[in-house]
């Protein structure tokens, strides 16, 4: 089974051929932590979360990197009553909470830009050495990428340099061409010393684009499989990432992927219109699992139009999503009253849709088709068929991150006591440790390491003694 994915650079759906078969490396541009997350940010995170889950379902080991841009012009401008780093961290926590609320898995790595400044220096030095970057002509500590030195500049968005807007990131007097963009930005008088770093070109801070190129290289290597992000990042951000990484001689991304944006009542969200739907608004208006269902039901590349009921979120699109998802939940409840749901795999129609550039509208249609079939079997008293269909529905819901029984939708719920949670955790850990003992006995050390790593990723420390293995929460 080959997974197919739309490559924005080739403007075509292509077979995903990972550099290392069975492993997929993904870099997704994360937020600039300057103000609270809105529904567009949540949509992007959910889109790539479903990609990741589907690629894993198809047997790939996915390394998923999503960065945090914690130093940027906008972070400095918005930090009025607090240090810039305090604002960045406060907003980062809001993003983490919003992502977690809608069931987005934590990335494999989530680097902050400020922790990779030496790697940015190395990349800038390489670009200067190769003749694609230069220190500012006006003697400041700025360093620019020389767009005219790189014939492929504009390849991602199919633009010619002459028709591009100037890069408004610095005084054009320091530039060879007004479209040259900043890799390193000299510290300005009014900027705090804490927001600047020493560099071979003088004190300053990185440009936004070089941050992502350096972090992708640091965590995924010189070449990786998929680069993702919102459609609004295609130019200049992704065009510049592509130019600087390939001009430095790196393979960079094989596939460029972009998720669509979210409109509200047919209009683009904007500060001036005051129509932005923040993550907090969304999560206050509808159950988080329904918010995720609403986002997943549209194809990740399409524009989602969120319809309100005269400005109220409790109506319109979200009410429809609540009704549609409620039908699936009611069926599952009915089926569970009949018997235990069997472990089933996803139906072929669902798999084919997901393999075809993650066509979730068709996949969700298959889910509803299965729901109707389960209800019909229940009505007809055919319990075996009903349970089989319900088992398939659960398999599909799991891949979409929408299993109503998943702990993520119940964390902090008052129905479960701490003791019950501890008992459940102990039972799960013991099961995994038993599997690991079996793997070791069979000399399958890869499997045994995988289990230990999975436990470590969940914050559980495993210690092997002479005869016994103990565990603790790290
Ligand atoms: Zn980026």
């Amino acid at each position: 089974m080959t997974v197919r994915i739309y490559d924005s650079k080739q403007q075509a759906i292509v077979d995903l051929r990972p550099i290392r078969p069975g492993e997929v490396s993904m870099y997704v541009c994360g937020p600039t932590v300057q103000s609270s997350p809105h529904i567009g940010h949540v949509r992007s995170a959910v889109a790539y979360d479903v990609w990741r889950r589907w690629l894993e379902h198809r047997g790939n080991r996915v390394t998923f990197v999503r960065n945090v841009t914690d130093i940027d012009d906008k972070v400095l401008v918005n930090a009025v009553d607090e240090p810039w780093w305090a604002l960045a961290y406060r907003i980062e926590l809001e993003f983490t909470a919003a992502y977690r609320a809608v069931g987005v898995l934590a990335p494999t790595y989530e680097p902050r830009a400020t922790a990779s400044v030496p790697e940015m220096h190395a990349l800038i030095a390489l670009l200067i050495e190769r003749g694609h970057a230069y220190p500012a002509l006006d003697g400041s500590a700025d360093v620019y990428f020389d767009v005219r030195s790189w014939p492929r500049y504009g390849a991602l968005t199919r633009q010619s340099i002459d028709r591009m807007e100037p890069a408004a990131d610095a005084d054009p007097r320091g530039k060879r061409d007004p479209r040259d963009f900043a890799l390193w930005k000299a510290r300005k008088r009014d900027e705090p010393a804490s927001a600047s770093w020493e560099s071979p070109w003088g004190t300053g801070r990185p440009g936004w684009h070089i941050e992502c190129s350096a972090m992708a290289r640091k965590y995924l290597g010189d070449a990786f499989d998929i680069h993702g992000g919102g459609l609004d990042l295609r130019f200049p951000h992704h065009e510049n990432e592509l130019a600087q990484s390939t001009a430095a001689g790196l393979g960079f991304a094989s596939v460029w992927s972009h998720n669509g944006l979210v409109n509200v009542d047919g209009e683009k969200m904007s500060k001036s219109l005051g129509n932005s739907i923040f993550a907090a608004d969304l999560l206050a208006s509808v159950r988080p699992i329904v918010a995720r269902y609403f986002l997943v039901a549209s194809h990740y590349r399409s524009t989602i139009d969120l319809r309100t009921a005269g400005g109220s979120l409790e109506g319109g699109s979200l009410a429809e999503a609540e009704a549609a998802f409620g039908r699936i939940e009611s069926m599952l409840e009915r089926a569970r009253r009949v018997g235990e749901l069997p472990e089933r795999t996803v139906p072929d129609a669902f798999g084919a849709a997901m393999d075809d550039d993650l066509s979730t509208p068709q996949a969700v249609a298959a889910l509803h088709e299965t729901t109707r079939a389960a209800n019909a079997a229940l009505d007809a008293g055919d319990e075996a068929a009903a349970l089989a269909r319900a088992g398939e529905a659960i398999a599909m819901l799991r891949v979409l991150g929408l299993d109503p029984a998943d702990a993520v939708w119940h964390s902090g719920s008052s129905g479960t006591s701490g003791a019950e949670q501890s008992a459940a955790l102990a039972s799960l850990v013991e099961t995994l440790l038993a599997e690991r003992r079996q793997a070791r006995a069979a000399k399958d050390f890869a499997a045994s390491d995988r289990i230990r790593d999975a436990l470590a990723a969940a914050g559980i420390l495993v210690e092997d003694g002479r005869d016994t293995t103990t565990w603790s929460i790290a």
Side-chain angles (χ1 to χ4, degrees):
M1 273 155 298
T2 309
V3 176
R4 293 169 60 73
I5 181 168
Y6 183 82
D7 178 9
S8 303
K9 185 158 172 279
Q10 296 184 58
Q11 297 186 1
I13 293 178
V14 298
D15 289 354
L16 180 66
R17 301 230 175 274
I19 296 166
R20 285 177 295 279
E23 292 178 30
V24 176
S25 43
M26 295 179 76
Y27 184 92
V28 175
C29 286
T32 298
V33 280
Q34 44 134 342
S35 54
S36 297
H38 57 63
I39 187 173
H41 296 114
V42 178
R43 198 260 172 117
S44 180
V46 167
Y48 291 104
D49 187 58
V50 177
W51 260 118
R52 174 189 188 176
R53 288 169 188 258
W54 183 247
L55 291 168
E56 282 175 352
H57 179 82
R58 282 297 189 223
N60 298 286
R61 217 181 77 188
V62 179
T63 305
F64 186 99
V65 177
R66 189 186 58 228
N67 73 293
V68 175
T69 295
D70 59 343
I71 184 71
D72 183 78
D73 294 358
K74 289 175 241 160
V75 173
L76 293 176
V77 168
N78 289 358
V80 182
D81 303 323
E82 60 193 323
W84 65 273
W85 43 264
L87 169 86
Y89 185 54
R90 187 164 58 75
I91 300 294
E92 182 187 321
L93 290 177
E94 284 188 36
F95 272 87
T96 305
Y99 292 155
R100 190 176 293 159
V102 292
V104 171
L105 300 170
T108 318
Y109 308 113
E110 190 172 21
R112 295 187 185 126
T114 49
S116 295
V117 173
E119 288 79 1
M120 296 166 200
H121 289 165
L123 203 49
I124 296 169
L126 192 56
L127 284 166
I128 293 175
E129 189 187 303
R130 292 171 71 102
H132 297 300
Y134 60 94
L137 308 177
D138 60 6
S140 80
D142 282 2
V143 180
Y144 304 116
F145 183 85
D146 185 345
V147 297
R148 300 242 174 232
S149 78
W150 188 241
R152 284 188 269 155
Y153 187 64
L156 181 65
T157 49
R158 304 193 176 197
Q159 304 182 72
S160 71
I161 293 176
D162 294 311
R163 302 180 72 170
M164 286 180 194
E165 297 280 311
D169 55 6
D171 188 333
R173 281 174 300 184
K175 297 181 175 185
R176 291 179 187 163
D177 186 289
R179 294 153 193 98
D180 291 349
F181 57 88
L183 302 171
W184 190 253
K185 296 175 154 191
R187 183 185 166 198
K188 297 186 187 74
R189 275 176 192 284
D190 56 345
E191 290 180 356
S194 61
S196 63
W197 289 260
E198 295 295 322
S199 88
W201 314 283
T203 305
R205 59 190 168 87
W208 174 31
H209 319 303
I210 199 76
E211 296 180 350
C212 281
S213 283
M215 285 183 277
R217 185 187 189 198
K218 179 173 175 179
Y219 291 93
L220 297 175
D222 291 356
F224 56 95
D225 297 309
I226 301 172
H227 188 303
L231 198 55
D232 50 336
L233 299 181
R234 250 171 26 119
F235 189 86
H237 185 50
H238 290 170
E239 188 72 71
N240 293 353
E241 276 188 49
L242 172 66
Q244 65 206 1
S245 291
T246 45
L250 313 180
F252 212 53
S254 304
V255 171
W256 285 85
S257 167
H258 291 95
N259 66 271
L261 307 181
V262 181
N263 287 350
V264 178
D265 292 324
E267 299 216 60
K268 256 181 99 161
M269 283 192 295
S270 74
K271 274 208 182 95
S272 54
L273 284 173
N275 65 344
S276 295
I277 307 284
F278 290 96
D281 303 329
L282 176 71
L283 295 168
S285 309
V286 70
R287 290 185 291 145
I289 195 170
V290 174
R292 183 177 174 106
Y293 171 83
F294 169 70
L295 298 171
V296 165
S298 294
H299 190 254
Y300 75 97
R301 285 197 285 121
S302 68
T303 302
I304 292 183
D305 188 32
L306 175 61
R307 280 171 294 100
T308 67
S312 164
L313 285 174
E314 288 162 34
S317 304
L318 295 179
E320 286 165 21
E322 175 69 59
F325 195 70
R327 283 195 290 277
I328 301 168
E329 289 176 306
S330 306
M331 178 277 286
L332 291 173
E333 280 166 30
R334 270 186 90 189
R336 284 205 171 97
R337 269 181 251 134
V338 170
E340 205 175 314
L341 308 192
E343 281 292 325
R344 298 293 292 236
T345 183
V346 301
D348 290 347
F350 179 92
M354 294 294 275
D355 282 341
D356 180 18
D357 191 31
L358 211 70
S359 296
T360 53
Q362 286 74 20
V364 168
L367 174 59
H368 282 289
E369 188 56 45
T370 303
T371 300
R372 277 190 291 274
N375 277 323
L378 284 164
D379 292 342
D382 185 348
E383 294 186 354
L387 289 174
R389 295 296 85 73
E392 288 167 3
I394 284 290
M396 293 185 266
L397 287 165
R398 276 194 193 134
V399 172
L400 298 173
L402 285 168
D403 180 358
D406 193 315
V408 72
W409 312 118
H410 306 282
S411 58
S413 74
S414 51
T416 323
S417 73
E420 282 169 330
Q421 287 179 8
S422 302
L425 175 67
S427 151
L428 283 171
V429 174
E430 291 300 343
T431 306
L432 284 169
L433 288 177
E435 276 180 32
R436 181 162 166 270
R437 273 193 298 276
Q438 278 176 8
R440 282 158 67 104
K443 302 223 182 302
D444 185 355
F445 296 111
S448 121
D449 286 349
R450 212 157 44 231
I451 294 169
R452 192 199 51 212
D453 292 350
L455 286 167
I460 289 164
L461 210 66
V462 174
E463 281 184 75
D464 292 310
R466 255 177 77 91
D467 310 303
T468 55
T469 299
T470 56
W471 62 274
S472 55
I473 297 173

